[in-house]
């Protein structure tokens, strides 16, 4: 969990750099090259079958499948061995996340009811884990670890909601033949798991086939990544591993052979679940490479004052939904959850800090941009939405920063507080 939090927070820095690069490119004298580059057609052909998409769609439909695969792995781990495993620990962030999705969506619908942008109601529901954790990481130990876990769990439940919204509400048409193929491939994966097939290339091939089936079925292709993540075993094959027995096997045998070393290495490897091993391998790639590339491909919008002067309903709905909706929804639903017997705030967490985290959750950057591409076909609506996401994320980050600074009893979190005269010297 600590490793996941650190990678997400560090990934936020790369995401911010990629966002600035996209904005500079799209607003430079070479702005047309930005559009031309991401609209370059790329065709992958296998015999008579070919897939032809522009680079932006290869990023959104292809690379982002790996991102959602890692999201699926993290959801599976949390369900099996993490915060979502225990009802008492999952209820509070789960209800908070529900409020953080419902209230922003309702605000957007209230502003855009009957308008051309009404389909964008899913955009302000999302929370960007990387940016949110990167901002919270600035405060270091001033923010208790329990609050970071609360934010992470809330964001994971938020991801589950976003995945369901994408799969159910942003699917234009279904091709049931391809959908049946996807179901059969998923069933094959389950059967192979049960007969203990562990050869990774088999699952890579099945994953590629599942992705293609989902792409052709009409359901967004990235859902294939989530499905594979949820089907990956989250418990180790080797449940009991005695360190002393391994040391004895390797050190006290005069006839030690290479096969003994390989067998022992396999036992050690299988003492960690496949989900955790794969997530450990892929998570840095998604945080430091894939998501920044996604931002570079999608965050490049012309920065003009025209949408602000016109105050388009899409812009107002997204900004109000992310900045106010998240703050009110998460805070109110967290308070309601604590009215349930046995449900309390995590130890060491105070209400001002919860309000600060609710504000930080309004940073909806990456998944909000992703849903924008699904919700709108009109270029002007997309531009308004992307500009609104950038503005809302910046406002939510600033608001959350201020509230957490005050809640941490230090108005400037970079300042080192002087040690107490009676405090023991540091070890």
């Amino acid at each position: 969990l600590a490793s996941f939090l650190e990678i997400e927070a560090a990934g936020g820095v790369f995401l911010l750099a990629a966002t600035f690069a996209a904005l500079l490119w799209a607003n430079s004298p070479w702005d047309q090259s930005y559009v031309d580059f991401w609209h370059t057609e790329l065709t992958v052909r296998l015999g008579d079958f070919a897939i032809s998409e522009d680079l932006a769609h290869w990023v959104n439909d292809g690379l982002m499948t790996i991102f959602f695969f890692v999201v699926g792995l993290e959801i599976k781990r949390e369900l099996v061995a993490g915060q979502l495993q225990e009802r008492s620990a999952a209820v509070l962030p789960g209800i908070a996340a529900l409020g953080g999705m419902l209230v922003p969506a309702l605000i957007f619908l209230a502003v855009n009811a009957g308008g051309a942008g009404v389909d964008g109601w899913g955009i302000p529901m999302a929370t960007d884990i990387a940016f949110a954790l990167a901002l919270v990481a600035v405060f270091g130990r001033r923010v208790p670890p329990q609050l970071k876990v609360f934010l992470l769990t809330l964001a994971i439940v938020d991801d589950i909601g976003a995945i369901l919204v994408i799969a159910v509400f942003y699917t234009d048409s279904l091709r049931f033949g391809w959908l049946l193929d996807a179901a059969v491939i998923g069933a094959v994966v389950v059967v192979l798991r049960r007969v203990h097939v562990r050869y990774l290339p088999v699952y890579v091939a099945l994953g590629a086939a599942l992705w293609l089936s989902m792409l052709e079925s009409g359901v967004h292709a990235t859902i294939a990544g989530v499905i594979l993540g949820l089907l990956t075993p989250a418990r180790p094959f080797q449940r009991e591993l005695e360190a002393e027995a391994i040391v004895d096997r390797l050190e006290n045998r005069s006839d030690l052979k290479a096969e003994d070393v390989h067998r022992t290495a396999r036992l050690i490897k299988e003492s960690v679940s496949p989900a955790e091993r794969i997530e450990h391998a892929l998570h840095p790639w998604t945080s430091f490479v894939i998501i920044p590339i996604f931002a570079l491909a999608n965050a490049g919008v012309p920065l003009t004052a025209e949408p602000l002067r016109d105050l388009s309903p899409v812009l107002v709905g997204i900004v109000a939904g992310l900045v106010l909706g998240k703050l009110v929804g998460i805070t109110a639903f967290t308070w309601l959850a604590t009215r349930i017997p046995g449900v309390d705030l995590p130890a060491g967490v105070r209400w001002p800090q919860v309000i600060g985290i609710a504000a930080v959750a309004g940073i909806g950057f990456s998944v909000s941009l992703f849903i924008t591409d699904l919700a709108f076909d009109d270029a002007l609506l997309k531009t308004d939405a992307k500009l609104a996401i950038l503005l809302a994320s910046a406002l939510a980050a600033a608001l959350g920063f201020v509230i957490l600074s005050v809640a941490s009893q230090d108005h400037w979190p970079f300042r080192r507080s002087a040690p107490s005269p009676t405090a023991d010297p540091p070890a």
Side-chain angles (χ1 to χ4, degrees):
L1 180 61
S3 175
F4 188 91
L5 287 167
E6 289 173 2
I7 291 174
E8 283 291 334
V13 178
F14 283 73
L15 179 56
L16 185 62
T19 302
F20 276 121
L23 290 171
L24 287 173
W25 189 0
N27 291 275
S28 71
W30 306 278
D31 55 344
Q32 188 58 42
S33 68
Y34 177 86
V35 176
D36 294 341
F37 177 78
W38 293 111
H39 283 83
T40 302
E41 290 287 327
L42 177 64
T43 300
V44 175
R45 186 179 301 277
L46 184 62
D48 294 332
F49 185 81
I51 303 175
S52 184
E53 300 280 359
D54 60 32
L55 288 180
H57 279 90
W58 277 113
V59 171
N60 294 351
D61 297 346
L63 285 181
M64 287 299 285
T65 302
I66 302 175
F67 165 75
F68 278 101
F69 176 50
V70 173
V71 170
L73 290 172
E74 181 61 17
I75 291 171
K76 180 68 175 287
R77 190 185 67 80
E78 289 293 324
L79 289 170
V80 173
Q83 293 294 313
L84 299 180
Q85 180 188 20
E86 300 180 8
R87 175 187 171 276
S88 58
V91 167
L92 184 67
I95 293 176
L98 182 63
M101 290 184 285
L102 287 178
V103 176
L106 291 174
I107 289 176
F108 184 91
L109 286 172
V111 175
N112 287 271
V118 69
D119 289 338
W121 57 269
I123 297 171
M125 294 175 65
T127 293
D128 191 289
I129 302 179
F131 269 150
L133 288 176
L135 179 62
V136 173
V138 169
F139 292 88
R141 294 182 180 179
R142 294 178 179 85
V143 172
Q146 296 88 341
L147 192 64
K148 297 176 184 177
V149 174
F150 173 79
L151 173 60
L152 176 62
T153 310
L154 182 151
I156 289 172
V157 176
D158 192 283
D159 281 341
I160 296 174
I163 290 164
L164 292 174
V165 166
I166 292 168
V168 176
F169 296 102
Y170 290 108
T171 298
D172 294 331
S173 60
L174 292 176
R175 301 181 185 93
F176 289 99
W178 285 101
L179 209 55
L180 179 61
D181 289 344
V184 170
I185 294 168
V188 171
V189 172
V190 173
V191 171
L192 292 178
R193 274 187 51 195
R194 292 191 177 277
V195 298
H196 304 294
V197 174
R198 302 174 187 175
Y199 188 53
L200 185 60
V202 172
Y203 293 102
V204 172
L206 288 171
L210 179 62
W211 176 83
L212 179 60
S213 298
M214 296 299 287
L215 178 69
E216 297 293 331
S217 71
V219 178
H220 201 271
T222 52
I223 301 300
V226 179
I227 294 172
L228 285 175
L230 294 176
L231 291 178
T232 304
R235 297 191 186 280
F237 296 126
Q238 185 69 30
R239 300 273 179 104
E240 297 180 1
L241 190 65
E242 294 292 338
E244 293 182 2
I246 291 175
V247 172
D248 181 69
R249 174 183 294 182
L250 296 179
E251 287 188 346
N252 301 326
R253 288 186 54 177
S254 58
D255 59 340
L256 186 67
K257 300 177 181 178
E259 62 185 39
D260 296 313
V261 178
H262 292 312
R263 188 181 303 112
T264 304
R266 187 179 70 252
L267 290 175
I268 294 172
K269 179 181 177 182
E270 292 185 348
S271 68
V272 180
S273 71
E276 192 169 348
R277 291 203 310 269
I278 297 172
E279 182 183 325
H280 180 75
L282 291 181
H283 191 198
W285 285 97
T286 59
S287 294
F288 300 139
V289 179
I290 291 176
I291 289 297
I293 290 176
F294 170 80
L296 189 62
N298 290 273
V301 293
L303 297 179
T304 64
E306 185 176 345
L308 297 177
R309 287 196 300 266
D310 295 342
L311 287 180
S312 70
V314 168
L315 186 142
V316 173
I318 292 174
V319 172
L322 283 173
V323 179
L324 298 179
K326 286 285 186 181
L327 176 62
V328 173
I330 291 174
T331 303
F333 275 63
T334 301
W335 182 84
L336 289 174
T338 58
R339 304 301 98 187
I340 301 174
V343 178
D344 298 304
L345 292 181
V349 174
R350 295 175 287 110
W351 277 108
Q353 293 172 323
V354 172
I355 297 172
I357 288 297
V360 170
I363 306 173
F365 188 77
S366 56
V367 179
S368 292
L369 287 174
F370 188 83
I371 295 177
T372 296
D373 192 61
L374 302 177
F376 299 136
D377 293 323
D378 184 271
L380 290 177
L381 289 178
K382 280 188 178 183
T383 300
D384 284 355
K386 290 181 178 182
L387 187 60
I389 292 167
L390 293 172
L391 178 60
S393 297
L395 290 174
L399 182 61
F401 183 89
V402 171
I403 296 175
L404 285 176
S405 296
V406 175
S408 301
Q409 298 179 346
D410 190 343
H411 292 270
W412 182 243
F414 293 106
R415 189 178 67 199
R416 301 175 66 91
S417 56
S420 171
T422 60
D424 294 329

